[in-house]
Amino acid sequence: MNRFASLIARLETVNDAGTKALIVADYLSETPEPDRSLAQKILDRSLKPRPVRIALIRGLADARIDAELFALAEAYVGDVGETIALTWVPNRRANRDPALSEIIEALSTLGRSELPKRIESWLDACDETGRWALIKLITGTLRVERSAADNKEQPSPQSELFQRPPKKDTSGSIPAILLYAERTNPRATTSPLRCTFGVWDGDKLAPIGHCNVEGGDAERLESFIAEHTTARFGPVRQVRHDRDVAFVAELAFTAIAETPRRKAGITLRGARFTKPIDNASPSDAASLTALASRLHSA
Amino acid sequence: MTRAQDILRLTPAGLYCEAGDFYIDPLRKVSRAVVTHGHSDHARPGHDAVLATKETLAVMAARYGDTFTAAQQPARLGETIALGDANIMLKPAGHVVGSAQVVVEVGGKRVVVSGDYKRARDPTCPPFEPVPCDLFITEATFGLPLFRHPPAGDEVAKLLHSLRLFPDRPHIIGAYSLGKAQRFIALLREAAYSAPIYVDAATAKLCAIYESHGVPLGDIRPAASQSANTLNGAIIVGKAEFQNGTNDPVTAYASGWMRTRKRARAANVDLPLIISDHADWHELTATIAEVVPGELWITHGAEAALIHWATTRGIRARPLSIAGYGDEEEGAQQ
Ligand SMILES: [Zn+2]
Ligand SMILES: [Zn+2]
């Protein structure tokens, strides 16, 4: 699993299709059957194991880590599965990580009662990248990245791997709430602010997209950040965002995209900060359900 | 009766010790500064007198010119120095060349200011030495339980694997010019990589300081004066801007922030490598457990998780917000 996981991670960061193809070929050439064929099927999405609920894995993690520490880590990472992968402290070192074939077979043969113990032993045996990809794979949220430049068609020997689905117009604008901000260049106080915005998901806010803000708008944001920073993670400032106090702004976007790997499940592509919405109440911000129905009706 | 909490206090110029009339890593010009290490958020020019290791003084002179202070006072690691009513001692911090913790003793009470530190092995500087104390002032750049840096050798192996896969392409590693670059080069040499390594001008200057203080880095050459063909299949360490003059480079970036997928994707390089000169969560908590402080003060940002951790273990902990201490790893990519 660890090797397959590091392949998936590499494909996320490599930009160039030729490089991607070579990395895939290198991986396959060093992988014996049956894992080679399984990997190929997962890469071209023709194999999707019956998914395990993330709540089951979350339950395993709860037994391992202090709830408050987990919550702080999750707020930073923004993804439950990845947070579990990164904070998991293995109980004992297994001498090898599970093979893909072992995982796929167990998922289809083990009963509900046997599965948690087995997953726990896999998490103990994998490295952090392995745990990350394992959780994505078994919860059915593993996605192999196309290019990190979305408007280029990428030719590829890996069939549909790098191709894009036909386009629907889902552009628009919504009121959203500032969650995090950081300087794009921490050394220059005039550099644009990279901001993460969220929308309501029940009583919580789910991160939905980010954009850079500069000029006068950045100054407005900055005075809010100065007064309402609630936590700092390196250069990233988390600002207050609740039903009483939050910074509400209008965000325009070119598309709504489904991103099962993210906490919110959807992401705004090509997000742009249009203006702060003065006198708006935090409750005026959009909700995840509204965005999702907009996407599905488009 | 002196209380450990009263030995140092935070002023607009930085942490001040009244008993010894000196500042530690001051943010403004002061009459006497004790400097933990050469990173620019800790070592600033213009103080009347600077006490630091000879390596740190050499780094400051290389960056700011010989006139960065009127009086340089080199201190040996482990040597006790009396300043007014305080005794101070520098102890290795394991962060970068010459990096030190500052141990301050007044009236039988001891405060340790960690400066930046790590516990992972680094062939370019002596390891961090834990010093039991009444008050420990620790950095917490990576103060969240998700940060656990993998063995640096494994990350270097990823780069060497890429070099085997793409033997004709230059490999450019973005790495901060003081510390990260030299550690990375030293790790490459440990992995038996003996070819010339190309660096930018700022990194070259600092490599020379490492060499002159007994840290061999092998064949180091300036990247700027080379033809594009020379750099094919070579390793280039330093600022990422070199990619303009090279053929189809594979780009990498070495930083502890590469731990999350979000930050790894945002780095916009082919190969994010998790290598840091700051303690990860497990090093931070293990160190605090080792120095058993009665009280803990936390600098550099991510303090909430560490305060929670310390409090549940009966250690009084609070944040110490020193505006101006940054994270050198953040600047490296620009
Ligand atoms: Zn430093
Ligand atoms: Zn620092």
Side-chain angles (χ1 to χ4, degrees):
Chain A
M1 190 64 206
N2 289 346
R3 281 188 61 244
F4 181 69
S6 69
L7 169 72
I8 298 294
R10 285 293 319 268
L11 290 177
E12 264 197 355
T13 54
V14 167
N15 269 315
D16 161 72
T19 307
K20 279 187 201 246
L22 228 158
I23 289 169
V24 171
D26 174 59
Y27 167 84
L28 293 175
S29 75
E30 289 175 16
T31 305
E33 292 292 358
D35 273 28
R36 177 165 46 209
S37 304
L38 285 172
Q40 224 151 358
K41 283 183 188 157
I42 294 169
L43 289 174
D44 67 22
R45 297 179 190 165
S46 59
L47 176 79
K48 284 195 176 164
R50 185 168 52 110
V52 170
R53 284 172 53 240
I54 186 75
L56 185 157
I57 303 169
R58 178 68 209 262
L60 296 172
D62 282 344
R64 295 282 183 108
I65 184 173
D66 176 291
E68 184 160 342
L69 292 182
F70 187 89
L72 286 165
E74 194 195 347
Y76 177 81
V77 177
D79 176 289
V80 185
E82 187 179 354
T83 308
I84 295 169
L86 295 180
T87 56
W88 187 271
V89 180
N91 257 349
R92 64 203 124 75
R93 265 267 159 257
N95 47 16
R96 61 168 193 85
D97 56 306
L100 269 182
S101 48
E102 183 183 335
I103 294 167
I104 302 295
E105 197 198 312
L107 287 176
S108 63
T109 55
L110 288 187
R112 273 176 195 281
S113 57
E114 302 159 288
L115 208 48
K117 267 251 147 327
R118 185 64 67 90
I119 293 173
E120 189 172 18
S121 74
W122 291 337
L123 291 170
D124 275 333
C126 286
D127 65 19
E128 54 262 13
T129 313
R131 284 192 291 274
W132 165 75
L134 173 76
I135 292 169
K136 298 284 159 190
L137 176 68
I138 68 180
T139 55
T141 54
L142 182 72
R143 289 245 317 223
V144 182
E145 288 279 313
R146 302 178 189 97
S147 173
D150 222 14
N151 51 358
K152 268 186 289 177
E153 283 294 334
Q154 298 286 3
S156 157
Q158 293 298 317
S159 67
E160 53 152 332
L161 196 58
F162 306 117
Q163 286 169 26
R164 308 169 63 215
K167 258 199 166 162
K168 297 181 280 188
D169 183 11
T170 52
S171 63
S173 70
I174 50 158
I177 286 176
L178 178 68
L179 304 179
Y180 307 97
E182 71 182 297
R183 289 247 166 253
T184 49
N185 178 353
R187 297 266 171 251
T189 49
T190 53
S191 73
L193 287 168
R194 182 178 169 82
C195 297
T196 305
F197 285 89
V199 294
W200 291 108
D201 178 12
D203 247 5
K204 289 190 170 152
L205 283 157
I208 193 74
H210 35 240
C211 59
N212 288 354
V213 184
E214 47 194 332
D217 291 328
E219 281 169 32
R220 286 280 303 273
L221 281 169
E222 240 167 59
S223 58
F224 182 85
I225 294 164
E227 280 176 48
H228 297 288
T229 294
T230 51
R232 296 187 292 168
F233 308 104
V236 181
R237 301 277 177 274
Q238 177 186 293
V239 297
R240 188 163 166 194
H241 49 265
D242 52 44
R243 292 275 179 193
D244 299 322
V245 178
F247 191 99
V248 186
E250 185 178 277
L251 274 198
F253 47 89
T254 54
I256 307 172
E258 277 188 280
T259 47
R261 62 164 54 246
R262 302 293 174 82
K263 196 160 136 194
I266 51 182
T267 295
L268 301 181
R269 299 260 189 246
R272 260 177 315 111
F273 181 99
T274 17
K275 58 170 197 245
I277 307 180
D278 294 315
N279 309 322
S281 132
S283 299
D284 296 339
S287 74
L288 206 53
T289 38
L291 270 180
S293 66
R294 196 153 158 176
L295 170 67
H296 296 299
S297 63
Chain B
M1 183 73 184
T2 310
R3 296 191 315 156
Q5 303 95 292
D6 299 330
I7 294 176
L8 295 176
R9 70 185 149 86
L10 190 57
T11 72
L15 265 183
Y16 177 63
C17 174
E18 190 160 358
D21 190 23
F22 63 88
Y23 291 81
I24 297 174
D25 290 351
L27 305 152
R28 301 181 184 171
K29 294 177 184 178
V30 299
S31 54
R32 177 181 286 281
V34 175
V35 172
T36 59
H37 67 289
H39 280 142
S40 53
D41 51 332
H42 295 259
R44 294 168 196 252
H47 309 304
D48 295 339
V50 173
L51 186 151
T53 61
K54 62 180 191 310
E55 292 88 351
T56 297
L57 293 171
V59 168
M60 291 177 80
R63 292 191 148 174
Y64 305 129
D66 280 327
T67 57
F68 73 91
T69 183
Q72 298 188 24
Q73 186 178 355
R76 283 193 313 276
L77 294 169
E79 167 190 15
T80 303
I81 295 166
L83 290 176
D85 293 331
N87 276 338
I88 71 162
M89 185 189 284
L90 301 185
K91 284 284 196 180
H95 176 56
V96 298
V97 76
S99 64
Q101 314 167 66
V102 184
V103 181
V104 184
E105 288 180 341
V106 177
K109 289 285 190 293
R110 183 189 292 156
V111 181
V112 173
V113 180
S114 74
D116 292 348
Y117 70 101
K118 69 171 175 290
R119 307 299 301 271
R121 200 183 75 83
D122 181 341
T124 69
C125 59
F128 179 97
E129 271 181 40
V131 180
C133 54
D134 302 295
L135 168 63
F136 186 48
I137 304 181
T138 184
E139 66 136 323
T141 304
F142 291 108
L144 279 170
L146 63 107
F147 290 110
R148 178 191 279 238
H149 312 318
D154 292 359
E155 300 299 284
V156 168
K158 285 185 194 167
L159 178 78
L160 292 174
H161 181 83
S162 175
L163 204 60
R164 281 193 296 276
L165 206 52
F166 304 102
D168 300 325
R169 296 170 65 183
H171 282 59
I172 302 180
I173 298 94
Y176 192 72
S177 59
L178 170 58
K180 188 72 61 68
Q182 293 78 18
R183 182 179 179 209
F184 198 87
I185 292 168
L187 288 166
L188 280 167
R189 298 308 187 201
E190 281 191 345
Y193 183 84
S194 55
I197 293 174
Y198 299 88
V199 298
D200 65 81
T203 305
K205 217 159 142 183
L206 291 158
C207 285
I209 291 180
Y210 272 70
E211 290 268 359
S212 69
H213 288 91
V215 182
L217 297 173
D219 189 349
I220 303 293
R221 301 184 189 182
S225 55
Q226 311 295 333
S227 74
N229 282 345
T230 311
L231 298 177
N232 289 345
I235 292 179
I236 304 158
V237 179
K239 295 225 166 106
E241 66 215 24
F242 283 112
Q243 39 186 301
N244 299 334
T246 55
N247 303 320
D248 190 21
V250 174
T251 54
Y253 179 53
S255 163
W257 298 109
M258 297 299 98
R259 171 88 171 160
T260 64
R261 300 309 306 159
K262 173 177 71 174
R263 295 297 288 269
R265 285 192 295 262
N268 199 22
V269 293
D270 295 320
L271 192 56
L273 301 172
I274 309 168
I275 301 186
S276 178
D277 290 325
H278 291 275
D280 66 15
W281 171 260
H282 301 272
E283 295 170 45
L284 290 171
T285 53
T287 302
I288 295 163
E290 244 177 306
V291 302
V292 285
E295 182 157 342
L296 180 71
W297 294 355
I298 301 165
T299 67
H300 278 72
E303 65 266 345
L306 210 52
I307 287 175
H308 174 77
W309 179 90
T311 308
T312 55
R313 277 157 185 79
I315 301 167
R316 227 173 345 163
R318 70 172 180 94
L320 192 68
S321 322
I322 305 179
Y325 283 1
D327 163 27
E328 58 278 355
E329 297 194 359
E330 285 303 313
Q333 225 179 329
Q334 310 303 329

